[in-house]
Amino acid sequence: MRRTLSIVSGVLGAICAFAGLFHFLIWGTPVWVVTVLESAAVIFLSFFLFTHFELVKDFSTRRSTKFGVNSFLMAGIFIAIVVILNFILARHEVRFDLSGTGAFSISPQTVSVLQNLKNEVKVIGFFGEQSNAKRLAKDILENYRYETDKIQYEMVDPDKKPTLAKQYGITEYDTVVIESGGQKATLRTISEEEITGALIRISRESKKTFYFVEGHGEHSVDDPERNGFSILKESLEKQGFSVKKLLLLSEKKVPDDAAVVIIGGPQRPYTEEEGAALDAYLSRGGRLFALVDPLVKTDLEPVLAKWGVLLANDIILDPASSLGGVVPIVNPGTYPPHQITDRFNLGTFYPVTRSVNFDPAREGTLLFEPILKSGQGTWLTTQVEGDLAIDPSRDKLGPITFGGVVRYKEEPPPMETGDGGKAIDASKKMRLVVIGDADFATNSAVRSAGNGDLFQNVVSWLAEEEDLISIRSQEAKTSTLLLSSAQHRFNFYSSVIILPLAILTVGLTVWRRRRRL
C-alpha cells in the first residue's frame, strides 16, 4: 500500500510540475494557477522523496554515482538560474535593433503617436492560415504594443470565425480593422505608415482641411500624370486630412476652415484681388506653403515681400549633381536646424530652383529660418537665359538658401478678455513656408529619395501636427557576402570537418576519463 501511494505521489508530482510549466509558457496568466500547480508538485515530490529516502541514500553512497549526483546538482542549479532569468526578462522586456538602418524598429514619430493615445485601441487582423502578411502585421503590432499598453490585437482566420468577419464586413484576406472611441478604420495594406495613419485618423476629433490653390496652372491634386499632385493628395488623405481645391478668383477669400493653403507652382500671374486675399489670410494668422518655380511670372512677389520673403529671377546651379547641373541635391546632415528638418536623414533634390531670401528690414518683427540650402560647390546665377554657364565674376558661390520659414519673432502672451478669460491674438500665429521649386513634389519625384517626406514635414508643421512629421518605416537593406575561393574553402573545411571533429574528440576524451573512474 505504501509503495503504491509513493508511486502515485511521484506521478502526480511530475504531472503537476509539467502542467504548471506549460500553463506559464503558453498562457502566462493567471499566475495563481501556476503557483497552485507548482506547490502541489513540491508536496507530491517531497512525499515521494521521503518514502524512497533509503533507496536514495543507498544509491548516493555508491562511488560510481557520486560524480553523477554532482553533475545532476550542477545541471539543476543551471536550469534554475535560466528559469529565474527567463521569468524576470519576460516581465521586463528589453529590445535591441542591431540592424544598420533600424529596420526592425518603428519611427520616432509613430512612437510619439502611440504615447499620446488617449483611448484604448483594438486591432483585429483577418488573415488566412498560410498568409505571409500575417507575420508582417504581427511584427509591427508587437512593436506598437511594446510602446503602449493601450493597443490590444488579435489575429483571426475569417474561415474559422465567419460570423466575426461578417460583423466587420470583411470580404478579403489580409485585412486589418482598427477600432477606438467608437471609430473604425479598415486597412488592406499592411505597413507602419498605414497603421499609424489610421490610428491618427480615428483618434482625431475633427478633420483639418488643406486647400490647394488652382487656376494659374498649378500642379493639380486631381492629375495622376507625372506633373500632378495626386500622390500628395492621397498621402494627406491617408493621414486623415481633407484635401480641397481653392479657386481664389471666384471665392475672393480663403475659407475660414483652411488649416493650410498650398500654392503648388503657378504658371500664370495672380491678380491683385487674389494677392490681397492671400495677404488677408496671413494677416489673420493663416498658414501658407508657397512653392514658386523660377523663370515664371506669378506676381506673388509683392505679397511675399510684405512678409519679408524676397524672390529674385535667378537659378541655382550644382556642377556636382548627379541628376544634372540645374538639380541641386541636399544630402542628409546638411539641412539647417529646424523642427521641420529635425532628425530628417533623407536626401532630397529639386529640379530647377531659385533662391529664397529675407528682407533685413523685417527682422524687427519677423523671424526667417532657412530649411533648405544648396551645397558648398553650388552657384547662384542671374543669367537665366540661353546656355547656363558659371561665371565666378558674376555669380554667387553657395551655399544658397532656397527654402525658408517666416513667423513672428515672439508670440504675444494671452490677454485678458474682460469676462475673466484669456485669449491669444490669433494673427500672431501666422506661419509661412516658401520653397523656390515645385517640381520636387510632383508625382514624378515625390516618391524619390526624401522629397515626399519633406513635403509632409512642412505641411505637418504648418498645421501644428508635429506628430505626423515624416512617418516612414526603415527598410532593411540587402547585402551580398562575396568570398574568394580560399575563403570559401576555409569556411567549408572549418565548419563541416574541423569543428565537428574537435567536438567529437573532446567528447570521447571526457567519456574515456569517466569510464576509468
Side-chain angles (χ1 to χ4, degrees):
M1 183 64 181
R2 182 179 178 184
R3 179 181 176 84
T4 303
L5 286 175
S6 176
I7 295 174
V8 172
S9 177
V11 172
L12 288 176
I15 292 174
C16 289
F18 283 108
L21 177 62
F22 285 153
H23 183 88
F24 173 73
L25 294 177
I26 296 173
W27 294 288
T29 56
V31 179
W32 66 267
V33 175
V34 180
T35 304
V36 169
L37 289 172
E38 294 302 329
S39 298
V42 170
I43 295 172
F44 285 128
L45 291 175
S46 297
F47 179 76
F48 176 81
L49 184 63
F50 176 77
T51 54
H52 290 77
F53 181 74
E54 293 299 328
L55 178 62
V56 174
K57 183 178 178 182
D58 179 64
F59 179 74
S60 62
T61 55
R62 297 177 187 172
R63 185 172 181 273
S64 59
T65 61
K66 283 186 177 178
F67 285 94
V69 172
N70 290 338
S71 300
F72 177 78
L73 290 175
M74 293 299 292
I77 293 172
F78 175 77
I79 293 173
I81 292 173
V82 171
V83 170
I84 293 171
L85 287 176
N86 181 67
F87 189 82
I88 295 173
L89 292 175
R91 284 157 178 76
H92 300 82
E93 187 177 0
V94 178
R95 297 184 177 192
F96 298 96
D97 187 351
L98 302 180
S99 61
T101 60
F104 303 107
S105 303
I106 54 179
S107 68
Q109 292 74 23
T110 294
V111 173
S112 176
V113 171
L114 295 174
Q115 292 176 346
N116 290 322
L117 285 176
K118 297 179 181 176
N119 300 320
E120 300 291 331
V121 178
K122 180 182 179 182
V123 182
I124 305 177
F126 293 89
F127 297 95
E129 191 171 348
Q130 303 297 328
S131 172
N132 293 326
K134 180 179 179 180
R135 179 183 295 275
L136 172 63
K138 192 172 182 179
D139 289 344
I140 294 175
L141 293 172
E142 273 297 321
N143 283 332
Y144 281 41
R145 197 166 62 174
Y146 178 72
E147 297 293 341
T148 178
D149 57 359
K150 290 187 178 297
I151 287 186
Q152 298 297 326
Y153 77 89
E154 64 174 321
M155 298 294 168
V156 174
D157 187 340
D159 295 328
K160 295 181 179 178
K161 293 187 176 180
T163 306
L164 184 63
K166 186 177 181 180
Q167 176 185 340
Y168 285 96
I170 304 301
T171 58
E172 299 178 14
Y173 291 110
D174 302 343
T175 300
V176 172
V177 177
I178 303 177
E179 286 184 303
S180 179
Q183 299 195 62
K184 183 175 70 175
T186 302
L187 306 178
R188 291 185 174 81
T189 303
I190 312 301
S191 68
E192 179 188 338
E193 183 178 2
E194 294 286 343
I195 296 175
T196 302
L199 286 175
I200 294 169
R201 288 197 297 275
I202 63 176
S203 302
R204 188 173 288 147
E205 296 179 355
S206 61
K207 279 188 175 182
K208 291 186 176 181
T209 303
F210 290 177
Y211 281 92
F212 283 76
V213 179
E214 293 197 350
H216 315 85
E218 292 92 345
H219 302 285
S220 174
V221 292
D222 293 333
D223 184 0
E225 302 298 328
R226 291 175 55 84
N227 289 326
F229 272 3
S230 62
I231 294 178
L232 287 178
K233 178 185 178 183
E234 179 184 355
S235 176
L236 292 173
E237 288 178 339
K238 284 181 178 179
Q239 300 295 336
F241 297 113
S242 175
V243 177
K244 296 181 179 179
K245 296 186 288 186
L246 174 60
L247 292 170
L248 272 177
L249 203 55
S250 57
E251 296 288 342
K252 306 295 185 186
K253 62 171 289 190
V254 175
D256 294 334
D257 66 337
V260 178
V261 173
I262 301 164
I263 300 175
Q267 303 298 310
R268 297 287 185 274
Y270 279 55
T271 65
E272 290 186 9
E273 291 77 10
E274 291 174 310
L278 292 173
D279 182 61
Y281 172 64
L282 289 172
S283 297
R284 63 175 193 264
R287 313 298 173 89
L288 180 64
F289 184 14
L291 300 94
V292 189
D293 288 317
L295 311 178
V296 178
K297 179 177 173 55
T298 64
D299 287 348
L300 285 173
E301 289 80 0
V303 179
L304 299 177
K306 185 176 179 180
W307 297 94
V309 177
L310 303 178
L311 297 177
N313 189 28
D314 53 27
I315 289 179
I316 297 175
L317 302 178
D318 187 354
S321 173
S322 59
L323 301 176
V326 293
V327 185
I329 298 174
V330 181
N331 294 312
T334 63
Y335 294 93
H338 190 271
Q339 191 174 2
I340 292 175
T341 56
D342 182 33
R343 293 177 291 175
F344 190 72
N345 58 355
L346 300 172
T348 51
F349 61 91
Y350 304 85
V352 189
T353 185
R354 71 200 304 177
S355 66
V356 175
N357 298 293
F358 186 64
D359 184 359
R362 300 308 309 274
E363 289 181 348
T365 56
L366 298 176
L367 175 66
F368 179 76
E369 299 168 290
I371 58 171
L372 293 173
K373 284 187 176 182
S374 60
Q376 294 285 346
T378 58
W379 293 84
L380 181 68
T381 181
T382 54
Q383 183 62 41
V384 297
E385 296 180 353
D387 294 334
L388 298 176
I390 296 172
D391 183 353
S393 62
R394 177 198 62 207
D395 302 333
K396 178 183 177 183
L397 181 62
I400 308 296
T401 299
F402 62 95
V405 169
V406 178
R407 60 184 174 88
Y408 279 99
K409 268 191 169 179
E410 295 180 359
E411 294 184 357
M415 299 180 297
E416 300 289 344
T417 58
D419 56 356
K422 292 184 177 180
I424 296 177
D425 184 359
S427 65
K428 303 300 182 183
K429 303 283 286 185
M430 181 276 304
R431 289 183 177 183
L432 169 63
V433 177
V434 181
I435 293 180
D437 175 51
D439 296 324
F440 83 97
T442 58
N443 294 340
S444 62
V446 73
R447 284 180 171 166
S448 302
N451 287 16
D453 296 83
L454 183 81
F455 186 95
Q456 176 70 61
N457 285 10
V458 171
V459 295
S460 297
W461 181 79
L462 286 170
E464 297 187 82
E465 295 280 356
E466 284 80 2
D467 287 347
L468 287 175
I469 292 182
S470 188
I471 301 171
R472 182 187 180 92
S473 58
Q474 300 295 329
E475 297 180 356
K477 291 183 177 178
T478 57
S479 56
T480 304
L481 177 63
L482 299 176
L483 299 176
S484 64
S485 298
Q487 291 171 328
H488 182 75
R489 287 194 295 273
F490 173 79
N491 285 336
F492 175 76
Y493 289 118
S494 61
S495 60
V496 177
I497 298 178
I498 297 175
L499 184 60
L501 282 178
I503 295 174
L504 179 62
T505 302
V506 172
L508 289 174
T509 303
V510 173
W511 176 74
R512 288 198 61 187
R513 288 186 59 188
R514 293 189 173 183
R515 289 280 294 175
R516 293 172 183 170
L517 293 175

